[in-house]
Amino acid sequence: MVGRDGSCAFATIDGRLPARWDRAIEWEIQVSDGEHMHHRDYACGNRTKITPKRPMSRSRRFTPPRRRHLAISFVAVFMAAALTNPAQGGDAGADTSVGSLISSVPVGNLRPVTVIDRDDIALSAMRNVWDLLRSRDDFNYFGLHRPLKLGGLRAAILINGRRISDSYFDLDALPISAIERIEILSSSAVAIHGAQAISGAINIVLRSGFEGVEAQAHGESPRDSGGEAGVASALWGGSIGAGHLIVGADVFNRNEVRSVDRAYSRASWTPGGSFDDAHGVSVAGNTAFVFTEQGPVARSLGPCEGSQYTGPLSEPYGIPGEGCGFAYGNIEWNWERRQRETAFLMGDYPVGQDLSVYLDARVADSDYTSLYMAPLPDRLPLPGGGGFVLHRFVSHGDRVWRWTAQEHDITLGVEGGLTDDIRYDAHLRSFSNDDILQGGTFVHEPAILEAIAAGSYDLRNPLSTDPGHLEVVRDTGVIRFVDNLTRRSEARVALDGSSFTIGGRPIGWAAGAEWVRESREWLTTYVSGAGDVIKEQSDVIGSFGVSFAGERDSVSPFLEVSLPLHRIWDVGLAGRYSDHDDVGATTAAQMETVFELSPDFALRGNWSMADRAPYLGGLHTARVTSVPRIYDHATERRYQVEAVNFGNPDLEPDRGESYGAGIVTKLGPVSVSADWYWTKLSKLLTVVGAQDIIDYEHEHGTLPPGNVIHRAPPLVPGTPGLITRIEKPILGDGEVDISGLNVHAHMAWSADWANFDLDARWSHVQDYEERALDFVGPDDFARNRLHVTLSGTRGKVTAQWSVYGTTGYRGSVGRFGSWVGHDVSVRWRNPYEFDGVELMGGIFNVFDAEPSINPEIPEDPDESLDSIRGRTFFVTVKKVW
């Protein structure tokens, strides 16, 4: 399942639509840890999508056809910035902590770090960290894309410079009201923050110096029903003796967005019409396929009335006849319902001349609810034989998944100075996130098949009120329980100073060590309506899941040095060695350099490499069984087999390497930075599909290590038997290559009547390729993202206009168009001389842009939070005493 950060275990489901009747439904369930596979990850924003799959090319490389577009786009952004000027998210100053452990040496132009301050966050009107950092198609509100392109486990997420977890965390649990600023590093930081930071790091810095009382309320209301949100927070800060203390509470609620409430997602059909003209309608309502001498014929099984049935529609899958449709577009939710309550405390107290004790503590309770349509089996034999039926278990009810989560994060530390030149920081930290899922309703397959055979379950009319039928429905229903527990304990000591000089400039250094224990559990249990625990996941219709438990102890010494080799040349070096009790040692190293050729022009570059210990789920996942349909080359037949995935204790650390180069310049009032990057990952965890294993054996005459294909004894001597089971361990042979360019331009200027700022960001992915075995992917995706913000301030009033969008791209079939959204906000400070009052209002997605839709697959739009909820009005009231 998908964590709110996108980093935990999930499943991808690939559907293959049939060309012939005997391939009517072919679902394949795959389990992964959130890493890269040769299948594209369709699990985004907590929603698992079902999408037709195209076989992967063996040689296609995803490169833009005309590279001059890159230069043209760069020049266009550069000229636009030169003629105007940006304000939000300026380049980092000397007080940033995400890019370095050295506090005494300014970051300057050495690293591509952007700081989003409280003003930026306020004008964005985002009141949830998930929305701010991940809601817009894996790039945050400020257009910074690279740190999250490779997933949550490849960008270090930090709080006050401390990594939250190596496995799982919930960005929703962090309250906006507690945040002072957000620092985003878009180059590697593997030696500083661990191998997880190969694609960057995001450091969320909490407020520490606030004095007084602050209370605010925020509301959001979309034009259409659903997605209404409210936030309320209170904060107090003041002195406690010689120390300082801040306490606060924050409550966030957002309603779900139902598919039926949006024109692009609600079901539509013509009564008595055809499936080809229907949208958001499944053939598998209750449709039978009967074998005749002339070929397959479809017919609607039963009355096909009520409970979102469409009535009979013609030519399901293009097969002559009619079928019973099911309007799932009027049932499912496009966006989940969220609720969260958070309390936090931050304090420090001096206990000596140069010694302070500090405490950061946060607790959160969260609730997430999603709704999915009633489950569907692969296919059921038609009573009496002669065909099969695609049957929706509407009598068992729709599947409601509810996550309830409790999280705490407590850090107790001391900091001070050993000498005038050497500072120290030592702390103990405890982090825990415990998610409990109760999901239902699913169906116990062996029991329902027995009931169908006995005639006690009414296959023709699942909405029957017959007492015997209702008893079967009750007893064969299944509830899924998942306990998703992550715990992290940490002890760390770090020193930093600037004891030496080169040419009168200080040499900065930092050194220390940390001990981390990370434990992870994902335990799945299925309980039937009769109260029985179901041991085999493959016996549950409509569900999938993994179970694993693992723990890792790591000890990591680290060292960082900043060398001023020349008055215009600075070099940063860092290294880390980690000893893991389960997989041995890993190393990480990085180098950064900058040439400040003039006060207004600098060149910078970086290189890094790192080994990363395998994800705990990859090592310890228990056997997970699915039943995909496959094509057997040896027998030239299609049929269903048992496929078993399981963890691989022999996995080795993966490897990441990254290069980057950039420029930073000022042209009068305009500042511009442009950074190119290239990253390669290898030995990644991969879960290969059952059909791909069969194809690999057919092409190579052998199998990948650890994979086994079991066959039954042949029916005819000398011929191959049918495949009965495929055993597929998680492999460590995946690779990813990505390269791209990030451009940022900023300008501020003053007119007689107002002060203006303009900020422009362009993120371009040049090449992106995934490989597993000899398969190459993924399908294409939006390669360009642009975000431009213009703000103006006159007196107490600030107005801001934001434009953000993505270019179109070609899917597995068909093409998605480009998408552009607009936000507007107005802030009024101290209105009518009411000191300490701040009013703000505005509109998200001003022009109500709907998701980009591929005409070939309209059921699978390219969604983001903004496009799902549509035009949304918001208002914020804040008071400070």
Side-chain angles (χ1 to χ4, degrees), residues 387-696:
F388 64 91
V389 59
L390 299 180
H391 177 81
R392 186 76 58 182
F393 288 106
V394 295
S395 55
H396 288 77
D398 300 320
R399 286 168 287 179
V400 179
W401 290 6
R402 182 182 179 188
W403 286 98
T404 56
Q406 294 182 332
E407 182 172 300
H408 82 252
D409 190 357
I410 301 173
T411 301
L412 177 64
V414 295
E415 61 181 358
L418 294 179
T419 68
D420 292 340
D421 297 322
I422 301 176
R423 303 288 300 174
Y424 67 87
D425 181 286
H427 68 258
L428 301 174
R429 181 164 178 257
S430 173
F431 169 84
S432 174
N433 182 291
D434 192 0
D435 278 10
I436 303 294
L437 168 67
Q438 179 172 326
T441 303
F442 304 98
V443 181
H444 188 201
E445 185 171 39
I448 198 70
L449 292 178
E450 181 180 346
I452 292 172
S456 53
Y457 176 83
D458 193 339
L459 190 65
R460 293 179 53 84
N461 181 20
L463 298 177
S464 168
T465 57
D466 178 80
H469 173 82
L470 294 178
E471 182 179 356
V472 170
V473 170
R474 181 196 64 202
D475 291 345
T476 58
V478 176
I479 301 295
R480 178 183 183 219
F481 298 92
V482 175
D483 190 357
N484 173 27
L485 176 62
T486 301
R487 288 179 178 162
R488 179 184 176 96
S489 300
E490 176 184 313
R492 176 170 168 170
V493 177
L495 304 173
D496 79 271
S498 55
S499 304
F500 308 98
T501 63
I502 296 179
R505 301 175 65 203
I507 297 175
W509 59 270
E514 64 183 14
W515 167 84
V516 173
R517 170 172 292 170
E518 185 107 357
S519 61
R520 188 83 165 87
E521 293 181 1
W522 183 286
L523 304 178
T524 304
T525 305
Y526 299 93
V527 180
S528 72
D532 300 324
V533 175
I534 300 173
K535 296 182 179 180
E536 293 294 332
Q537 172 265 334
S538 59
D539 288 340
V540 179
I541 297 174
S543 187
F544 49 87
V546 300
S547 288
F548 69 88
E551 184 176 270
R552 173 178 295 142
D553 283 2
S554 304
V555 177
S556 304
F558 50 83
L559 174 66
E560 181 186 1
V561 179
S562 177
L563 302 173
L565 299 182
H566 189 272
R567 62 180 180 81
I568 66 167
W569 183 22
D570 289 291
V571 173
L573 303 173
R576 170 185 290 255
Y577 174 88
S578 298
D579 184 45
H580 312 284
D581 65 346
D582 54 350
V583 294
T586 60
T587 58
Q590 67 185 73
M591 178 180 70
E592 298 168 300
T593 185
V594 62
F595 292 89
E596 295 191 359
L597 302 178
S598 75
D600 297 327
F601 186 81
L603 301 175
R604 62 190 177 197
N606 61 79
W607 164 85
S608 65
M609 60 74 60
D611 301 320
R612 190 187 67 152
Y615 179 65
L616 289 170
L619 295 171
H620 301 291
T621 293
R623 294 171 70 87
V624 179
T625 303
S626 58
V627 282
R629 291 181 60 80
I630 55 89
Y631 175 76
D632 183 0
H633 298 280
T635 61
E636 297 183 343
R637 295 183 59 182
R638 295 186 180 277
Y639 51 94
Q640 199 168 23
V641 301
E642 180 182 83
V644 182
N645 291 333
F646 48 91
N648 185 351
D650 297 324
L651 288 173
E652 298 179 352
D654 61 37
R655 168 61 61 92
E657 187 171 11
S658 179
Y659 294 88
I663 62 170
V664 182
T665 186
K666 283 194 69 175
L667 302 173
V670 180
S671 61
V672 177
S673 66
D675 288 276
W676 169 86
Y677 63 88
W678 172 81
T679 301
K680 179 177 181 178
L681 308 178
S682 58
K683 296 185 178 180
L684 296 174
L685 303 190
T686 57
V687 179
V688 183
Q691 184 62 57
D692 294 326
I693 293 294
I694 295 170
D695 293 344
Y696 187 90

Side-chain angles (χ1 to χ4, degrees), residues 298-314:
R299 62 182 176 87
S300 179
L301 187 67
C304 194
E305 297 176 351
S307 186
Q308 300 301 331
Y309 285 136
T310 65
L313 300 177
S314 64

